[in-house]
Amino acid sequence: MTPPPPQPPPSGPNPAADSAADPRPGPGPLVVLFGATAGALGQDLGSDETDLILLVWQVVEPRSRQVGTLHKSLVRAEAAALSPQCREASGLSADSLARAEPLDKVLQQFSQLVSGDVALLGGGPYMLCTDGQQLLRQVLHPEASRKNLALPDTFFSFYDLRREFHVQHPSTHPARDLTVATMAQDLGLETDATEDDFGVWEVKTMVAVILHLLDGPSGQLFSKPEVVKQKYETGPCSKADVVDSETVVRARGLPWQSSDQDVARFFTGLNIARGGVALCLNAQGRRNGEALIRFVDSEQRDLALQRHKHHMGVRYIEVYKATGEEFVKIAGGTSLEVARFLSREDQVILRLRGLPFSAGPADVLGFLGPECPVTGGADGLLFVRHPDGRPTGDAFALFACEELAQAALRRHKGTLGKRYIELFRSTAAEVQQVLNRYASSPLLPTLTAPLLPIPFPLAAGTGRDCVRLRGLPYTATIEDILSFLGEAAADIRPHGVHMVLNQQGRPSGDAFIQMTSAERALAAAQRCHKKAMKERYVEVVPCSTEEMSHVLMGGTLGRSGMSPPPCKLPSLLPAARVPAAPTPVAYYPGPATQLYMNYTAYYPSPPVSPTTVGYLTTPPAALASAPTSVLSQPGALVRMQGVPYTAGMKDLLSIFQAYQLAPDDYTSLMPVGDPPRTVLQAPKEWVCL
C-alpha cells in the first residue's frame, strides 16, 4: 500500500469568482466515475452479465482545479450472489445490497447530486470520466437495456482516462493495459495505503491523475470524448467495400424472429457501423439464427467478443470472430436497383412473402391500406424476380417510422386474392442476400420432370422381385435400412437400394429394394412388415421392377394403380445409333467422399446412398454376381425445348447435375437437324457441377 494521493487545492468561498479572475483553458466540469458489479472486476468488468452493485463519483473543475464532494452509493442487484473476487475486494455482503436502492433510483440521485456539485463549482455542462470503457459500454448500457431504463444523455459521451493518459505519455503501456495504479505509479504520485473503502481509493487516485495531467504540456487533453451511439443506423453495403476483419463478429443462436434492431440492442453500448448488422439466411431464404455484425473499430469488436453467451431473452447467444469477406458476401450487393431502394435513410424495411405472381405495386399498396402508407408509394416497393423476369412472390417495402411499420405488420397473414401474405421485419443485408440468391440462380432451374435416362437402367419386368419401404424416418440412412432388414439384407442385388427424394431433394420416407428373386422379396416383406425403425413402424410390401421404375421416374404408385411420370422419356429421344455393348462395370460407394445432392424426386438416388458419391470399381467377386443388364445402355440423346435465347453453356450444363458428360468436346450446341451424337455416357463417377 502507498501513501495518500496529493490533496487538491482547497476550494475558495466563491469558486465562480476565482474562476473568472484566473481563467484557464480546459474542458468543463468532469465527473470521475467508478463502478463495480457482483461478478468480474477490472478488464473483465461486465463480461459475466452480472448486475451493477456500486457507484462512486466526484466532480472536478479543470479550470479552477477544484473538486466537489465524494459520493458513494450501493445498488440493489437482482441476483444478490457475489463472486468470491467481488466479495474479497469490496467487503460487501448480500444483506447490505438487499437494503440498497434499485438502479433507477440511484441514477436519479446521481443526476441530482452531480448537478448540485457542478453548480457549486461554477456550473456549465459536465462530462463523465471513467477508467476504461467497460463501466459504461459493458455494464450500464446493457443493464439499462435489460431493465428497460432510459439513461440520461450524459451517459452517451465520456472521457476515457486511459486514453487521455496515453496521449500525454505514449511511451508507457498500451492504453488498454493501463490501470489506475499503473498510471499513478508512472506519474510518481503517492497513494493512500490506508484507504480500504472499496471504490473510494480509485476515485481519489483518478482525480489526482487528472489534475496532474492538466498541469502537463499537452493541450489536446479532454477534447475528443468517446461517444455511445443511441440508435443503430441502417444502410446498404457494396461488394466493392473493403471491411476490416478485425471489426466483424458472428452471433449464433438468435431467435428466428429477431431483427437487426434486436441484434443492435443485444450489443447496446457498442458502436455498430452503419448497416453493420447482416442477418444470415438459409438455402430456403429463411433466417438461420446467425448474424454478422460489423463494428466501427477493433476495440468495439473486442468488447463484443466478451458478450459470448450473454442472453437475448431466454436464449444465450454465442459470439465469435468473423472476417470482412464473410460480411461482404452476406451484406454486399451490386444491383443499382437495390442501391436506389436502400438509399433512403432512416427507413423501416418489411419483407412480404407469398405474393401472387400477378401482383403489382397497386395490389400491394391496396393490401397494406391507407393507414400504413409506403414511403414513396410504388417507388418504396422492391419486387424480387428471377433473372428472366419471372416474379418470386417476395417483395420489400419501406416505411417512414416504426409506428407505420407496426401497423403494416398487423396485416401479417392477411389475404391478397386467394393467398395469405406473410410480413416480417427485414434489413438492408437481407434485401441484398435475397436479391443475390435469385440473381445467381441458373436460367434453367432443376427440372421437375426427368429428361435423362436413369444412369443405372432397371430391367423391365412384372415379377415382384422388389420391396417398397414406406414410412421411413427422414433421418434414416442406408445403414439403418440394412440393419432393419436384418438377414434379408444378404439377398439385396448389387446397387439395389433406391431412396426416393422429394422435390426439395430431401428424403420422402420411401425406398425401393431390389431383391435377388420374388421369393426373397416376399420373405423379406413378411418378416419386416410393420417392424419398428427409430420409433416408427415401416410398411414393407412387394412390388415389381416396373412399378419401382415408374415411381423413380416421377410417377405415383397408389391403391388404384400406377400414374405415369409427367413425361415419358422415349417420346423425347430421337433414334440413336446403338454402339456395341460395353463391358459391364459396377460401382460401389467410396466412404471418404460425400456431397449433399438436392435432386428432385423424379431422379433415382445414386446406388446405395443418395448422399454418397465417389464410386470405386466393384471387387471382382461382387462383379461376377452382377446381372449383365447393368449399364447396358452407353448413352442417349436429350432434346431440350423452350431454351431461352440468352442461355449459355453454363446454364445448359447446370441441368445435368449428377451425370457425367461424355466427351470433352461439348463446347458448341447441337442444332436439332444435326446427326445424333452421344451426350451422356454411363457414369464412372457422380459429378455435382
Side-chain angles (χ1 to χ4, degrees), residues 23 38 142 297 359 385 446 605:
D297 55 41
R385 301 182 183 276
T446 303
S605 63

Side-chain angles (χ1 to χ4, degrees), residues 273-344:
R274 182 173 180 266
V277 177
L279 298 172
C280 301
L281 307 180
N282 59 19
Q284 286 73 42
R286 301 177 185 271
R287 296 171 186 170
N288 62 3
E290 295 189 7
L292 293 172
I293 302 93
R294 176 188 179 189
F295 295 91
V296 296
D297 55 41
S298 59
E299 185 175 7
Q300 305 287 313
R301 193 281 304 267
D302 293 340
L303 293 175
L305 291 173
Q306 293 184 357
R307 300 197 185 183
H308 179 60
K309 292 195 173 181
H310 283 203
H311 289 77
M312 179 185 290
V314 297
R315 298 175 64 98
Y316 73 84
I317 309 301
E318 300 174 348
V319 183
Y320 304 98
K321 292 182 180 180
T323 65
E325 291 78 7
E326 291 176 316
F327 182 84
V328 173
K329 182 179 179 181
I330 295 297
T334 57
S335 171
L336 294 178
E337 182 183 13
V338 177
R340 287 194 296 268
F341 178 77
L342 298 176
S343 62
R344 299 178 176 89

Side-chain angles (χ1 to χ4, degrees), residues 615-632:
Y615 292 84
L616 310 176
T617 304
T618 306
L623 182 60
S625 61
T628 58
S629 61
V630 176
L631 295 178
S632 59

Side-chain angles (χ1 to χ4, degrees), residues 168-474:
Q168 195 172 93
H169 302 273
S171 60
T172 58
H173 309 282
R176 65 177 59 186
D177 296 334
L178 291 171
T179 64
V180 175
T182 57
M183 287 187 287
Q185 183 179 359
D186 291 340
L187 295 177
L189 299 179
E190 296 181 352
T191 56
D192 187 2
T194 62
E195 183 61 70
D196 58 356
D197 196 355
F198 182 59
V200 174
W201 179 89
E202 285 80 0
V203 170
K204 288 183 177 179
T205 306
M206 289 170 64
V207 170
V209 170
I210 291 173
L211 295 176
H212 190 281
L213 293 177
L214 291 172
D215 292 332
S218 177
Q220 302 298 322
L221 291 175
F222 303 105
S223 58
K224 297 180 180 180
E226 304 289 328
V227 177
V228 180
K229 289 187 176 181
Q230 299 192 36
K231 183 181 179 181
Y232 166 68
E233 301 175 355
T234 60
C237 174
S238 172
K239 286 189 178 295
D241 293 348
V242 178
V243 178
D244 186 3
S245 295
E246 297 299 317
T247 63
V248 182
V249 301
R250 179 184 294 271
R252 182 179 300 165
L254 300 168
W256 67 268
Q257 71 273 24
S258 58
S259 65
D260 55 345
Q261 298 294 338
D262 297 322
V263 176
R265 184 175 181 180
F266 175 79
F267 290 104
T268 185
L270 305 180
N271 293 343
I272 299 176
R274 182 173 180 266
V277 177
L279 298 172
C280 301
L281 307 180
N282 59 19
Q284 286 73 42
R286 301 177 185 271
R287 296 171 186 170
N288 62 3
E290 295 189 7
L292 293 172
I293 302 93
R294 176 188 179 189
F295 295 91
V296 296
D297 55 41
S298 59
E299 185 175 7
Q300 305 287 313
R301 193 281 304 267
D302 293 340
L303 293 175
L305 291 173
Q306 293 184 357
R307 300 197 185 183
H308 179 60
K309 292 195 173 181
H310 283 203
H311 289 77
M312 179 185 290
V314 297
R315 298 175 64 98
Y316 73 84
I317 309 301
E318 300 174 348
V319 183
Y320 304 98
K321 292 182 180 180
T323 65
E325 291 78 7
E326 291 176 316
F327 182 84
V328 173
K329 182 179 179 181
I330 295 297
T334 57
S335 171
L336 294 178
E337 182 183 13
V338 177
R340 287 194 296 268
F341 178 77
L342 298 176
S343 62
R344 299 178 176 89
E345 298 183 358
D346 299 328
Q347 299 291 313
V348 182
I349 306 175
L350 295 186
R351 180 180 180 181
L352 293 83
R353 191 166 60 198
L355 294 170
F357 293 151
S358 59
D363 300 315
V364 176
L365 294 176
F367 167 77
L368 294 173
E371 63 274 7
C372 43
V374 176
T375 301
D379 293 337
L381 296 174
L382 177 64
F383 289 87
V384 184
R385 301 182 183 276
H386 290 284
D388 57 0
R390 292 180 295 113
T392 64
D394 280 22
F396 295 92
L398 296 175
F399 295 90
C401 62
E402 187 67 29
E403 291 73 16
L404 295 178
Q406 288 289 349
L409 286 173
R410 287 194 285 269
R411 297 286 295 156
H412 179 59
K413 291 196 174 181
T415 57
L416 176 57
K418 296 182 179 180
R419 298 179 63 93
Y420 73 86
I421 311 303
E422 298 176 298
L423 284 88
F424 306 96
R425 290 182 176 275
S426 187
T427 66
E430 184 173 354
V431 176
Q432 300 280 23
Q433 286 183 81
V434 174
L435 269 294
N436 291 343
R437 174 173 287 106
Y438 284 106
S440 60
S441 61
L443 288 175
L444 299 176
T446 303
L447 298 178
T448 58
L451 293 179
L452 304 175
I454 299 178
F456 286 83
L458 305 171
T462 57
R464 305 179 73 79
D465 57 350
C466 303
V467 293
R468 181 182 186 183
L469 279 63
R470 292 185 298 198
L472 292 170
Y474 295 138

Side-chain angles (χ1 to χ4, degrees), residues 599-616:
Y599 305 146
T600 65
Y602 310 128
Y603 291 113
S605 63
V608 181
S609 171
T611 59
T612 305
V613 297
Y615 292 84
L616 310 176

Side-chain angles (χ1 to χ4, degrees), residues 78-91:
E78 293 182 357
L82 300 177
S83 68
Q85 179 187 9
C86 177
R87 188 181 298 108
E88 180 182 357
S90 65

